[in-house]
Amino acid sequence: AAKDRGKGMFQRYLPEMGERIVEAARLSRHLREAIGTDQFHLLYQPIVDLDTGRIRGVETLVRWVHPERGPVSPAEFIPVAENTGLIVPLGRWILAEACRQAAEWRATDPNARHLTVSVNVAGRQLEEPGFVAEVTGLLDETGLPPDRLTIEVTETAVIEGGDVVDVLNDLRALGLGLALDDFGTAASSLGLLLTCPVSQLKLDRSFVEAVTTTDRQAAVATAVIQMARALRLRAVAEGIETTEQAEYLRHLGYRLGQGFLFARPLPPGEITQRLAAAPVRV
Ligand code: C2E
Ligand code: MG
Ligand code: MG
Ligand code: MG
């Protein structure tokens, strides 16, 4: 009977697996074809001061709209881009476009003088020889002050990457900010605080979700803000969706927050509008 079951399993799962493999191959082919075309654009999600509601920074988030597939979520295509190496040319464009946009805001919008622009960078990009030179070149070209640019890396990118700590040290030496993204979700987060020149922690959304109702989540959020303070790091709470969460995190001591409560990722023109508008208090 085991044999029959085994056979049944293959009959049921093999075609599905095959479809999935074919679909994955199609996705990476579409991605490869899309690099260098205008299928990508960048959105910017506000990072706000929880006390005043003012926009203090924005996180750059890439969007891909394929002519036939329509919008593809970064959660779906960024891992493919990382595995295929396509993140290198794509990431190069994202960084350049974000720096250009940041410099444009500074040049044209008095409200954007103190705005920080964060850019997600994959481990593969940090490992690429010449990454630091690329960043230096972009800062020179655009005239963007280095402290207006923050690189966001995940703990996993740093743990899995080879000599990326040297690269991170170089970036910090240039004056850039360095955020540990999705903080708390990987295994060796705490060790990284000793080895990496981090300037900011981004408390992962998973700890924010039930922060007001679950003691354990509240305890983690509290521990992270205390640690950030002791280490003199900025802390951003990610994925804030309700006023209760914002209020609670503010009471815990978080100064900065990001999430749908304040704004979704927005096109650049809408960031300009929001910078001009009175801050929204929650
Ligand atoms: P991330 O860097 O942690 O970005 C935050 C993600 O949370 C974004 O998803 C954002 O839209 C979403 N988010 C923000 N506020 C809320 C909220 O209140 N509730 C919920 N449910 N979600 C919220 P997105 O844009 O789909 O990006 C997903 C991930 O893809 C990012 O996570 C990042 O790891 C990666 N990614 C996005 N853009 C880039 C990029 O330009 N380069 C690289 N290397 N990775 C990127
Ligand atoms: Mg991020
Ligand atoms: Mg994050
Ligand atoms: Mg995340």
Side-chain angles (χ1 to χ4, degrees):
K3 199 177 145 211
D4 289 347
R5 244 186 298 142
K7 197 174 161 203
M9 224 171 76
F10 277 120
Q11 281 171 346
R12 219 153 15 97
Y13 289 114
L14 212 50
E16 268 177 38
M17 270 174 62
E19 276 165 35
R20 245 184 290 150
I21 291 165
V22 169
E23 173 45 31
R26 190 183 294 134
L27 182 68
S28 63
R29 181 167 51 81
H30 284 164
L31 191 59
R32 190 177 308 277
E33 290 164 356
I35 306 291
T37 73
D38 60 2
Q39 291 177 30
F40 300 98
H41 65 277
L42 300 182
L43 297 181
Y44 300 87
Q45 187 179 31
I47 297 170
V48 308
D49 185 319
L50 291 174
D51 284 327
T52 63
R54 272 180 212 286
I55 299 177
R56 299 282 299 278
V58 290
E59 178 177 4
T60 308
L61 294 161
V62 68
R63 294 294 178 261
W64 178 25
V65 185
H66 185 267
E68 288 134 42
R69 314 170 82 94
V72 188
S73 160
E76 195 181 340
F77 75 81
I78 291 290
V80 177
E82 289 182 9
N83 292 335
T84 53
L86 291 170
I87 194 66
V88 173
L90 178 60
R92 196 174 287 141
W93 175 79
I94 292 168
L95 195 59
E97 177 57 19
C99 288
R100 190 205 57 74
Q101 181 61 62
E104 186 187 310
W105 273 323
R106 277 182 66 81
T108 60
D109 186 349
N111 298 314
R113 301 240 86 223
H114 302 288
L115 194 74
T116 310
V117 175
S118 298
V119 180
N120 294 288
V121 170
R124 271 297 271 274
Q125 290 176 265
L126 296 172
E127 287 173 52
E128 197 66 14
F131 182 74
V132 176
E134 184 186 322
V135 172
T136 313
L138 286 172
L139 294 174
D140 284 349
E141 275 168 41
T142 58
L144 188 68
D147 65 351
R148 303 293 86 187
L149 182 63
T150 294
I151 299 295
E152 292 195 7
V153 297
T154 62
E155 301 161 282
T156 333
V158 181
I159 294 161
E160 287 172 1
D163 298 326
V164 297
V165 173
D166 290 343
V167 174
L168 299 177
N169 277 315
D170 289 348
L171 295 173
R172 290 287 287 141
L174 284 175
L176 272 71
L178 176 68
L180 266 190
D181 205 355
D182 306 340
F183 184 73
T185 54
S188 49
S189 322
L190 297 183
L192 284 186
L193 294 177
L194 299 178
T195 54
C196 277
V198 179
S199 63
Q200 179 180 120
L201 299 182
K202 298 194 79 175
L203 178 72
D204 191 64
R205 191 167 81 215
S206 58
F207 301 112
V208 169
E209 225 181 331
V211 76
T212 61
T213 53
T214 310
D215 290 345
R216 296 173 78 87
Q217 292 203 7
V220 172
T222 306
V224 170
I225 190 65
Q226 284 172 354
M227 203 164 51
R229 281 182 159 175
L231 294 167
R232 299 184 192 291
L233 305 177
R234 277 166 187 258
V236 179
E238 289 192 283
I240 301 178
E241 295 185 351
T242 69
T243 48
E244 290 76 16
Q245 290 166 341
E247 197 49 31
Y248 196 94
L249 290 158
R250 198 170 70 82
H251 275 293
L252 291 184
Y254 285 85
R255 298 288 311 277
L256 298 171
Q258 182 181 351
F260 295 166
L261 173 67
F262 306 106
R264 301 235 160 207
L266 300 168
E270 286 190 46
I271 295 292
T272 307
Q273 284 175 21
R274 293 215 180 204
L275 285 168
V280 183
R281 291 217 48 179
V282 294

